[in-house]
Amino acid sequence: MFWNREIETIERKDLEKLQLARLQKALAAAATTPFYRKVFSDHNVDVSKVTTLEHLQDLPLTTKHDLRLSYPDGMVPISRSDIVRLHASSGTTGKSTVIFYSQRDVDEWADLVARSMVATGTTRDDVFQNMMGYGLFTGGLGLHYGAERLGAMVIPSSTGNSLKQIQLMQDFQTTVIHITPSYSLHLVEVIKENGVNPPDLTVKKAYLGAEPYSEETRDKIEKLWGLEAYNSYGMSEMNGPGVAFECVHKNGMHLWEDFYIIEVINPETGQPLPDGEEGELVLTHINREAMPIIRYRTRDLTRIIPEECSCGRTHRRMERIKGRTDDMLIVGGVNVFPSQIESVLMRIPEVGNNYQIVLEREENLDRMYIRVELYSKMFHGDLNELKRLNQKIGEELRALITINPRIELLEPGSLPPSMGKAKRVIDNRKI
Ligand code: AMP
Ligand code: ZN
């Protein structure tokens, strides 16, 4: 199923022609803003000399710090009266940054989201319960407008209030949900506690995004809920959700290249990497009036999947985000991504739905504690079994990350549940 077959299956050479025309327009608009006027002048960039897509690689990168420097509207080329909305990043790291939209931007964003939802088989007959935060965060309103554009019935339930969520799902026969992976793992337990078998609900599909999660977590969510889960990627700097989305094949996310130019760079040197190699994703929004952002360093680590997708879409796919360059932990000199720890934990059947990584400095040495909730059936008094499990988790983690974490096994519900983006890592070493 396609939302716009022509654009989604466009020949690569036509796509590149469209990208170049849009890029030139975006650069010309950016050059009129206070921020880029200065950056381009400092780097001797003449945007009228950008005549190929490759020339983009000679332009300076834009960072989150630059967005803060240009706060509030140093990157806006249009007049205040043409702006209809603003959103802000959820501040995954540091102070939030603000993004502006014109009416056309809001409309086209809804279109991209509708396109993404249709790629997973959603139709106007679906009932869509949106359990992402409404407000400055883009997750709620972003999918909301897209689902309405598609014609689905939207339940704007936002995050939290789990009992109400369950009632809404039951009363209105929700078929598609939008939810963070961490909240979905909490909610599914609340559903069970209320005597409902999650697969008996009418929910058939989940859109999971806003935070990194492993393939093993996706599998677990699919099994517990009895649904198909699709990965959804976006960030406020690039509109919000609808930047990249999985199609029915669930094998990497199509990045909508008529709106975004993708690059993957070596995060240390800033040099572009060929397709297939892992690095930091850099995105240029080439079709936004209120805020053209050029070569934005997302901090997200991924790789482009070079092979074509059998769905027929020509827009390239990117792999699940491995983590952010700024969430890599260095523990006793060893580099570890929380996603690596998560993938080990979620493979172990006794492990429940929540965990936390705590880092301490003890006698000048880094120490990692992993606090893991187990399923309640594990707590029936057999201490030897728990000891064996503790050992097994420790060994599997050590085999992958080469450090020796201390494992703490907990009863379900011991750790704070997550409603939005989960806070998995508590690093007490910096204090
Ligand atoms: P925000 O701008 O506050 O919406 O945060 C955007 C950030 O959330 C991205 O840069 C990613 O780090 C993270 N994120 C969003 N969607 C996903 C996803 N599907 N997988 C992993 N990380 C994601
Ligand atoms: Zn596909």
Side-chain angles (χ1 to χ4, degrees):
M1 266 202 316
F2 292 94
W3 173 251
N4 181 340
R5 180 188 291 269
E6 200 185 327
I7 200 76
E8 289 170 61
T9 59
I10 186 172
E11 296 261 350
R12 291 294 309 179
K13 66 174 186 351
D14 296 331
L15 177 63
E16 283 165 16
K17 226 189 268 168
L18 176 69
Q19 283 187 318
L20 181 60
R22 287 184 169 176
L23 172 64
Q24 287 169 327
K25 232 172 127 186
L27 287 174
T32 67
T33 66
F35 176 79
Y36 281 112
R37 193 181 310 129
K38 176 162 186 335
V39 169
F40 290 164
S41 140
D42 290 351
H43 290 81
N44 290 321
V45 173
D46 176 353
V47 292
S48 67
K49 298 236 163 76
V50 174
T51 50
T52 67
L53 288 174
E54 287 69 42
H55 284 157
L56 180 63
Q57 295 179 355
D58 302 330
L59 267 51
L61 295 155
T62 304
T63 64
K64 186 115 183 159
H65 182 63
D66 293 329
L67 283 171
R68 291 189 182 123
L69 285 181
S70 66
Y71 185 92
D73 56 2
M75 289 188 190
V76 177
I78 61 173
S79 85
R80 163 66 194 77
S81 52
D82 290 324
I83 293 173
V84 300
R85 197 193 297 173
L86 69 77
H87 277 288
S89 91
S90 53
T92 307
T93 51
K95 188 171 168 260
S96 60
T97 45
V98 175
I99 305 298
F100 296 95
Y101 307 75
S102 69
Q103 185 58 54
R104 199 195 88 184
D105 295 339
V106 166
D107 288 344
E108 293 197 316
W109 178 19
D111 228 58
L112 277 184
V113 172
R115 182 197 292 184
S116 304
M117 294 176 83
V118 169
T120 68
T122 296
T123 71
R124 62 196 309 281
D125 296 325
D126 277 296
V127 177
F128 173 65
Q129 192 163 328
N130 193 6
M131 304 187 206
M132 287 278 187
Y134 277 66
L136 287 175
F137 174 55
T138 51
L141 286 170
L143 265 275
H144 181 106
Y145 275 68
E148 279 187 358
R149 170 67 51 90
L150 166 61
M153 181 173 112
V154 183
I155 307 178
S157 55
S158 197
T159 52
N161 205 347
S162 301
L163 294 179
K164 186 84 191 166
Q165 302 281 9
I166 299 168
Q167 191 193 350
L168 288 165
M169 282 191 267
Q170 288 176 317
D171 290 358
F172 300 100
Q173 267 115 60
T174 300
T175 53
V176 184
I177 59 175
H178 181 212
I179 189 165
T180 58
S182 52
Y183 184 45
S184 80
L185 285 168
H186 172 67
L187 185 59
V188 77
E189 290 307 312
V190 184
I191 294 171
K192 284 197 262 175
E193 279 163 23
N194 279 273
V196 178
N197 178 29
D200 292 344
L201 292 166
T202 47
V203 184
K204 294 287 164 289
K205 226 179 272 173
Y207 299 144
L208 303 178
E211 61 187 10
Y213 61 109
S214 57
E215 199 59 43
E216 288 78 3
T217 298
R218 185 226 300 258
D219 288 348
K220 184 165 186 154
I221 293 168
E222 290 191 327
K223 282 199 190 87
L224 288 169
W225 280 82
L227 49 63
E228 300 278 337
Y230 298 87
N231 201 357
S232 151
Y233 173 80
M235 80 199 65
S236 49
E237 294 85 339
M238 292 290 131
N239 278 1
V243 174
F245 224 86
E246 279 182 329
C247 66
V248 284
H249 298 294
K250 296 198 301 187
N251 186 14
M253 297 172 276
H254 288 281
L255 255 152
W256 302 126
E257 295 188 73
D258 51 331
F259 277 68
Y260 304 98
I261 293 182
I262 328 166
E263 296 170 80
V264 173
I265 62 165
N266 176 326
E268 262 125 55
T269 63
Q271 286 310 305
L273 296 170
D275 276 10
E277 279 190 33
E278 185 185 282
E280 179 181 340
L281 182 69
V282 168
L283 294 174
T284 300
H285 201 314
I286 49 171
N287 200 22
R288 186 163 57 180
E289 286 180 335
M291 207 157 168
I293 299 185
I294 312 301
R295 302 197 79 208
Y296 185 65
R297 292 191 69 155
T298 64
R299 299 272 167 204
D300 292 323
L301 294 169
T302 184
R303 70 178 193 99
I304 300 297
I305 301 171
E307 296 81 28
E308 282 172 20
C309 183
S310 44
C311 72
R313 288 176 182 80
T314 47
H315 300 237
R316 283 174 295 170
R317 287 166 298 156
M318 66 178 208
E319 212 163 62
R320 166 183 303 286
I321 303 290
K322 177 176 167 194
R324 295 173 54 82
T325 51
D326 42 17
D327 72 17
M328 187 179 79
L329 307 170
I330 304 181
V331 184
V334 178
N335 299 347
V336 187
F337 282 97
S339 61
Q340 293 177 294
I341 295 175
E342 180 178 303
S343 63
V344 170
L345 294 178
M346 294 299 150
R347 266 203 306 265
I348 299 173
E350 296 89 346
V351 167
N353 297 355
N354 207 350
Y355 70 94
Q356 206 174 50
I357 302 165
V358 183
L359 299 169
E360 304 281 358
R361 180 151 295 140
E362 294 168 2
E363 293 166 4
N364 289 322
L365 289 177
D366 289 344
R367 171 71 55 207
M368 180 187 272
Y369 292 86
I370 302 191
R371 315 184 67 206
V372 189
E373 284 187 11
L374 300 182
Y375 286 119
S376 49
K377 61 173 187 282
M378 292 305 300
F379 294 93
H380 46 60
D382 186 347
L383 287 180
N384 278 332
E385 198 178 333
L386 288 177
K387 225 163 140 188
R388 268 197 304 276
L389 183 60
N390 193 314
Q391 244 170 14
K392 177 170 139 186
I393 297 175
E395 275 162 19
E396 294 207 11
L397 282 169
R398 199 163 41 251
L400 185 79
I401 61 178
T402 68
I403 46 181
N404 204 356
R406 298 235 167 114
I407 313 295
E408 222 177 293
L409 302 179
L410 305 168
E411 288 189 65
S414 311
L415 296 169
S418 151
M419 301 296 168
K421 292 183 192 242
K423 181 157 174 42
R424 299 284 191 204
V425 180
I426 298 179
D427 193 344
N428 293 324
R429 296 174 302 176
K430 290 174 196 136
I431 301 166

